[in-house]
Amino acid sequence: MINTVPTKRVVGIGVLSCMALFLLSACGTVEHKVNLLNNFTPDQATGVEVGKVANETGKTFSPGLNVEDMLRRALTQKLSAEGLLSSNATPKKLVLDSKILDYEEGDAFKRWLLPGWGSTVLTIQSDLRQDGQMVGTVDAKRTVSVGGAYTIGAWMTVFDNLAGDVVEDLRSKIPKVEPKQ
Amino acid sequence: MFNKVPCCTFALLLSLAGCTTEWAAEGSYYRTTQTLLDVQSTPPGKISINGSHKGDNSLSIPLEYEREVQRKTRKVSYWISQPGLALGITLLSLGIYLPFSAIPVDVELRQEPQSNFRSNQFVVQVQADGHHHWEDTVVCTGQDRLVLNPVLVRRE
């Protein structure tokens, strides 16, 4: 009797932690990398322009769901926030042509019922071009496969998160201009 | 009794690692590929590719074309895709997550290059004064580098 109380408490804490984790967390895969070809090094203050975005999933989405536009907007927004978006002031320009290889809207309720069911998936592949010549490639993937209420809207936020990953990788390759003192 | 615990855990983890689905084809797409072309002619001349002048004397230029890539996916458990996370959740949940971790929740992607190519033929021409034009069609099939050393024939 004396020993069962702490055991129950431990199990209870475990169950509660597990439930909290499943309810609150948005678990999934995050993979992204930029590969620059032939030792290409971008110049300082190079800007990035969002080029063509193509749907290569082989799927047709509902008329209200324009995946190409969602990716283009997310990339533009993240590049702008990072100060990487190409403008008239940027001396050099890289063009990011992207292909959406896989997109699954998923369903937060299904994910909550059974992890892995109703996963949200977004996979893209992009070519980086300078003056029409391919100088690098980008591969990025995000999934939201486990989670509850917290993952509602992942079908939309997955574009922002993936664009953030891509821009983070580009930032690491393009030297930042230090402000003049 | 305590000696059995690590063995049981190991056996359980081994069985969980097998909780995956078969690879399933998810269609294909064409990915841009490059082959570096080196041209050094004798005698040196003007080098054109597909009718567009690219350089004089010698040339080293990447040729761009497209290669078909097959996408395959399978469902895997976090023990395969993110073992650190799976271990973390197991520890945080005091082991209660362990039986549930067998569920193949994550999607693993594999990209397999195929032997189908698009826009992979290039006409290389070399012109030098007093010599016949030299022309050849290069077919790129995923090589890293192609070297051409044309010898131009002198005009009579």
Side-chain angles (χ1 to χ4, degrees), chain B residues 60-100:
Chain B
S60 187
I61 189 170
L63 300 176
E64 276 184 27
Y65 53 102
E66 292 184 306
R67 181 173 201 162
E68 188 185 15
V69 176
Q70 175 85 54
R71 287 186 295 112
K72 286 184 174 177
T73 59
R74 66 172 182 170
K75 289 222 160 197
V76 294
S77 72
Y78 277 143
W79 288 109
I80 290 174
S81 64
Q82 298 184 71
L85 178 73
L87 184 67
I89 299 175
T90 303
L91 292 175
L92 276 172
S93 66
L94 306 174
I96 290 168
Y97 170 70
L98 199 59
F100 301 102

Side-chain angles (χ1 to χ4, degrees), chain A residues 11-25 146, chain B residues 89-90 92-101:
Chain A
V11 171
I13 291 167
V15 170
L16 282 175
S17 309
C18 210
M19 281 170 67
L21 272 167
F22 272 112
L23 191 69
L24 294 174
S25 65
V146 179
Chain B
I89 299 175
T90 303
L92 276 172
S93 66
L94 306 174
I96 290 168
Y97 170 70
L98 199 59
F100 301 102
S101 66

Side-chain angles (χ1 to χ4, degrees), chain A residues 1-53:
Chain A
M1 180 67 193
I2 297 165
N3 286 336
T4 55
V5 175
T7 310
K8 277 182 183 173
R9 196 172 288 169
V10 166
V11 171
I13 291 167
V15 170
L16 282 175
S17 309
C18 210
M19 281 170 67
L21 272 167
F22 272 112
L23 191 69
L24 294 174
S25 65
C27 292
T29 312
V30 181
E31 291 169 15
H32 51 99
K33 65 172 180 192
V34 170
N35 180 30
L36 296 179
L37 306 170
N38 307 320
N39 300 320
F40 173 78
T41 312
D43 288 343
Q44 227 179 20
T46 297
V48 182
E49 180 185 294
V50 182
K52 289 178 279 181
V53 180

Side-chain angles (χ1 to χ4, degrees), chain A residues 28-29 99 116 127 134 141, chain B residues 30 32 64 75 82 106-107:
Chain A
T29 312
K99 291 171 184 158
D127 294 337
M134 192 168 83
K141 178 189 159 197
Chain B
Y30 279 85
T32 312
E64 276 184 27
K75 289 222 160 197
Q82 298 184 71
D106 215 356
V107 182

